Each structure stands twice: as structure tokens, then as C-alpha cells.
Amino acid sequence: MSRVKIAPSLLAADFGNLQRDVQMVNKSEADWHHIDVMDGLFVPNISYGMPVVKAIKKFATKPLDVHLMIVDPDRYIKTFAALGAFSLTVHYEACIHLHRTLQAIKEEGMLAGVALNPATNINVLEDTIRDIDIVMLMSVNPGFGGQTFIENTYNKLRDLKALIQHKRANALIEVDGGVTSLNAKALVDAGADVLVAGSFIFSSEHPLQTIKELKEIAG
Ligand code: DX5
Ligand code: ZN
């Protein structure tokens, strides 16, 4: 049984055929549906909001891994819980009272995730790491799919892994942005537990096969 999880990002799906693409992920060896919500303020792009997440939930058979790229995410914690999110990841850079936000997410029965932008050092999580279920390292600047992977992510992965071990924490490490079959193995070797992949999967000719390959490479 494979240890590393694969989370296809539906940002790269064909929105005109969303049901088809969600069902492709259902049928695949992927573990989670990754859902990117952007507000045009925290990031310079707007993706989709609640009605689309509701439509995804209607067809999805795997857990919804929701990534909020929005300012003041506390406003919508209950909303995404009601929509059926399995995990809710907020950005460190968007939270004034991160500890309170994490407790609020967990109180709603979801896994609590924190995403770090490429420019944010992992040390900012020293005092909250034991309260976090998932740390999402952004390996591109958030806002768009299809960007080039930032190589410094490997250093951050190793530092984060060491922090988690040092603090005897249990957080999963998720890597988001620019993941392909070329870097998947190295990311896992450096400590990744969950790999998000959007364009690499959905722009491939045989997405089911691509997911299978990623899963095998990741191990
Ligand atoms: C970027 C999003 C990512 C994105 C990844 O802001 O958070 O989840 O969909 O897309 P790729 O895999 O194409 O870089
Ligand atoms: Zn994402």
C-alpha cells in the first residue's frame, strides 16, 4: 500500500466538464480532491466559490482538500464545513490569530491546514506546529496553475521535517505547485506526504494513467 497521497487540483480541470473530471479523479488512484479557492485579493486571481464547491461535492467520492487563498479566512470556516470539506487549509500570511483559526477549523470537524508562501520561513510555525494537521508548502507563488516549481522548496521541506520531528508533532507535509513526475520522488525523499498536481495531470493525454504514474513514483 502506498504511503504518499496524491491530490489532483481541480483548478486545472475543464470547468465545462467538471462532473466528468471529478469522476475521473473518483476512478483514479488519487487520494484527495484538491480545491483552490481564490478571492482576487490575497492572490491576484479569482477561481471559484461555494456553488462550484457544492457541485464538486455532489459528485466527489474522495475527501475534499480545500485550500483557501483568501484574506480573513475565519469568515468562511463554518461555510466550508457545511459544504463537506475534509481538510481546510488557510494561509499563514492571511491569519492574524492563527492559533484561534486552527482551533475553529478543528471544532468544525475538519483537518486544520496552514499554507506557507514561498517567501515565508517555516520557523513561523514553531509555536503552532503541534496544533496543525497539514502544513502546505507552496512551491509556486499562489494564484495560478501551471507555474514553474521553485527549487528552494527542498530546503524548506527538510527544515520543516526537522521541526516536526523536533517538536514531536504529527503534521502531514503537502507540497503544492509545479509538481510533476520529474520532481515527485525527490519531494517525497525530502519529506513530502501529500503531492498536489494540477496541470501535470489535467493537461496530460491520459490523466488516469498520469495519476497512476505519480502514485507509483511517489511510493
Ligand atoms: C496555486 C494552487 C495550486 C495549483 C497547482 O495557487 O494552489 O493548487 O492548482 O497547479 P499546478 O500543479 O499546475 O502548479
Ligand atoms: Zn492549492
Side-chain angles (χ1 to χ4, degrees), residues 104-161:
I105 294 172
K106 290 196 274 197
E107 267 165 35
E108 293 298 323
M110 298 176 284
L111 295 192
V114 179
L116 298 183
N117 281 338
T120 305
N121 194 281
I122 61 108
N123 292 338
V124 299
L125 299 182
E126 261 182 26
D127 292 303
T128 44
I129 192 67
R130 286 173 66 95
D131 299 298
I132 299 173
D133 296 308
I134 302 169
V135 179
M136 186 183 293
L137 289 183
M138 294 309 301
S139 37
V140 299
N141 285 297
F144 304 93
Q147 302 181 84
T148 306
F149 178 85
I150 296 171
E151 296 289 326
N152 186 51
T153 306
Y154 292 113
N155 296 326
K156 293 177 76 170
L157 265 171
R158 281 183 279 266
D159 291 348
L160 177 58
K161 193 81 195 167

Side-chain angles (χ1 to χ4, degrees), residues 9 11 34-38 65-69 136 138 174 176-177 196:
S9 168
L11 185 65
H34 185 79
I35 298 186
D36 290 304
V37 176
M38 306 177 185
D65 177 41
V66 178
H67 177 193
L68 294 184
M69 285 160 273
M136 186 183 293
M138 294 309 301
E174 184 165 5
D176 187 6
V196 176

